[in-house]
Amino acid sequence: MCIIFFKFDPRPVSKNAYRLILAANRDEFYHRPSKVADFWGDNNEILSGLDMEEGKEGGTWLGISTRGKLAALTNYLQPRQDPDARGRGELVAQFLTTDMDSFSYLKKVSTEGHLYNGFNLLAADLSTEKGDVICYYGNQGEPEPVVLAPGTYGLSNALLETPWRKLCFGKQLFLEAVERSQALPKDVLITQLLDVLNNEEACQTRPSRTRARSMYSPF
């Protein structure tokens, strides 16, 4: 099960507090080729893994740029997939390379959501000057994107904050790690976030067919 936990506070009270802590795990088929997280080619601006499946090369599930743009994607669990639908990974890649703000981009995506199989998409503009903005859109939910209020969220293969048991359990572990974050060295916090993602009660895996792609991001 793909899963994302994140907590953001654009204006934390403590100078030692993180504005955003994000932990994400993506389950994928072993046979699907991909590149590990790295900067794109000669471009030192965008950091992400890359899908290398034929016909969908260059898409990604999670990425961030030095301009403060961040996007993350999960697939929506549905009984039947359209094999001719557009690759959902392009939605993340396009946001990372566009000059559009997060809400405007998701507004555009909402008019094209029918071209893709089910997905959830987070898009963020992270700026110390203007304040951080994180938006959400799922093409199996409401027709319009929403700007998220500061807080803690969980997202898996259903709509944002759908209270699946594994999501709720993992979110509680994530919250416990976040509550200790100010007192922890960054490397220890990262280890604890990876422990949350690797917890078998929090993240369902299918080891015979899939592999987990994990990424953490404390800011």
Side-chain angles (χ1 to χ4, degrees):
M1 181 172 70
C2 302
I3 204 161
I4 300 173
F5 301 114
F6 63 101
K7 177 184 183 297
F8 79 103
D9 183 354
R11 296 178 177 82
V13 176
S14 170
K15 65 179 182 180
N16 296 322
Y18 294 106
R19 290 156 46 207
L20 170 67
I21 299 176
L22 182 148
N25 180 85
R26 180 175 178 86
D27 285 345
E28 190 53 85
F29 292 104
Y30 276 109
H31 64 73
R32 186 164 182 168
S34 64
K35 290 184 178 180
V36 298
D38 200 354
F39 287 99
W40 294 5
D42 296 329
N43 184 341
N44 290 322
E45 181 179 302
I46 298 173
L47 173 67
S48 79
L50 286 175
D51 190 354
M52 298 304 295
E53 184 177 35
E54 185 177 355
K56 299 180 180 179
E57 300 94 340
T60 186
W61 53 96
L62 173 62
I64 190 169
S65 78
T66 56
R67 293 189 295 158
K69 300 177 78 69
L70 180 147
L73 175 87
T74 67
N75 296 344
Y76 186 93
L77 187 63
Q78 56 190 126
R80 184 174 300 174
Q81 300 280 317
D82 177 2
D84 297 320
R86 292 171 61 168
R88 289 166 286 197
E90 70 181 24
L91 295 167
V92 173
Q94 288 172 357
F95 176 67
L96 296 175
T97 55
T98 186
D99 290 327
M100 297 177 69
D101 65 85
S102 53
F103 186 82
S104 297
Y105 178 74
L106 291 189
K107 181 76 172 177
K108 173 180 176 293
V109 168
S110 70
T111 66
E112 304 168 348
H114 62 284
L115 301 176
Y116 303 85
N117 287 311
F119 68 85
N120 297 294
L121 182 60
L122 297 168
D125 297 296
L126 308 175
S127 170
T128 53
E129 293 79 16
K130 298 180 180 179
D132 300 332
V133 176
I134 299 181
C135 301
Y136 163 77
Y137 171 70
N139 71 342
Q140 303 298 304
E142 297 298 324
E144 297 287 330
V146 295
V147 179
L148 299 180
T152 303
Y153 296 87
L155 177 64
S156 61
N157 299 115
L159 298 176
L160 184 69
E161 286 289 278
T162 297
W164 286 1
R165 184 180 66 84
K166 291 180 181 294
L167 184 78
C168 294
F169 184 83
K171 185 177 176 181
Q172 181 57 43
L173 295 179
F174 176 77
L175 281 168
E176 291 172 3
V178 166
E179 288 173 357
R180 299 188 296 266
S181 62
Q182 293 187 54
L184 296 176
K186 183 178 290 188
D187 59 340
V188 176
L189 173 59
I190 289 170
T191 297
Q192 293 196 4
L193 293 176
L194 290 173
D195 287 343
V196 171
L197 296 176
N198 288 323
N199 190 293
E200 293 183 359
E201 292 296 323
C203 298
Q204 180 183 6
T205 60
R206 297 176 293 280
S208 63
R209 301 179 64 199
T210 66
R211 67 183 183 276
R213 297 166 168 171
S214 301
M215 199 175 215
Y216 55 82
S217 182
F219 292 92

